[in-house]
């Protein structure tokens, strides 16, 4: 069974919250075993939100870079990092691809499953 997010990363502009990232380690989901045959767990980004007023100002890129650095620092087993993105959200798809995530081709409901394998 999938675990709830372990970490909440709040994104600030000065002292104003502009977004957040929820992530943590969880078991491989029922719809993912063919993606991760050699893993029993993955790091999963459960949510990544930037307030619309603050989008396209670099907050998302900075936050994603910081979250990926934190995951890499604690990820001694080199587990993959996965997330789901809405099929119609081409802006988010391009954002994650630019950060090294790949569309796996797996669809879950209306979401595309993306993965980034650790280096």
């Amino acid at each position: 069974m999938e675990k709830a997010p372990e970490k909440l990363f709040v994104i600030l502009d000065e002292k104003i919250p502009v977004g957040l990232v929820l992530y943590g380690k969880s078991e491989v989901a029922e719809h993912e075993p063919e993606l991760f045959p050699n893993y029993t767990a993955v790091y999963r980004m459960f949510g990544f939100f930037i307030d619309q007023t603050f989008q396209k100002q670099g907050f998302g890129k900075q936050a994603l870079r910081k979250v990926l650095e934190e995951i890499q620092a604690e990820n001694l087993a080199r587990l993959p990092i996965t997330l789901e993105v809405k099929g119609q959200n081409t802006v988010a798809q391009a954002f994650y691809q630019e950060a090294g995530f790949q569309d796996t081709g797996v669809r879950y409901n209306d979401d595309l499953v993306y993965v980034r394998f650790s280096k």
Side-chain angles (χ1 to χ4, degrees):
M1 179 172 213
E2 215 174 277
K3 279 176 52 177
E6 295 175 355
K7 299 195 179 189
L8 170 66
F9 184 85
V10 178
I11 303 158
L12 301 172
D13 179 19
E14 302 293 323
K15 295 182 179 180
I16 300 169
V18 301
L20 59 88
V21 182
L22 299 165
Y23 69 98
K25 195 188 306 186
S26 71
E27 295 176 359
V28 172
E30 290 179 13
H31 63 280
E32 297 174 325
E34 69 278 3
L35 293 176
F36 310 113
N38 300 321
Y39 300 94
T40 58
V42 296
Y43 275 87
R44 188 174 310 282
M45 292 179 57
F46 294 92
F48 192 118
F49 311 97
I50 303 290
D51 184 280
Q52 192 171 9
T53 307
F54 295 93
Q55 291 178 3
K56 302 207 184 287
Q57 296 180 37
F59 292 107
K61 285 183 184 180
Q62 289 177 342
L64 183 59
R65 183 173 32 251
K66 179 68 175 163
V67 166
L68 292 175
E69 286 173 2
E70 286 188 17
I71 289 173
Q72 223 167 1
E74 66 186 48
N75 188 7
L76 300 178
R78 299 293 179 232
L79 300 174
I81 306 164
T82 186
L83 58 90
E84 295 175 6
V85 62
K86 294 290 179 200
Q88 69 273 15
N89 193 344
T90 57
V91 173
Q93 292 170 34
F95 173 76
Y96 291 122
Q97 288 172 356
E98 186 178 311
F101 285 85
Q102 300 172 348
D103 183 352
T104 63
V106 172
R107 305 299 181 253
Y108 183 65
N109 297 325
D110 190 29
D111 295 339
L112 312 177
V113 178
Y114 273 57
V115 67
R116 179 178 177 189
F117 287 95
S118 297
K119 299 174 183 178

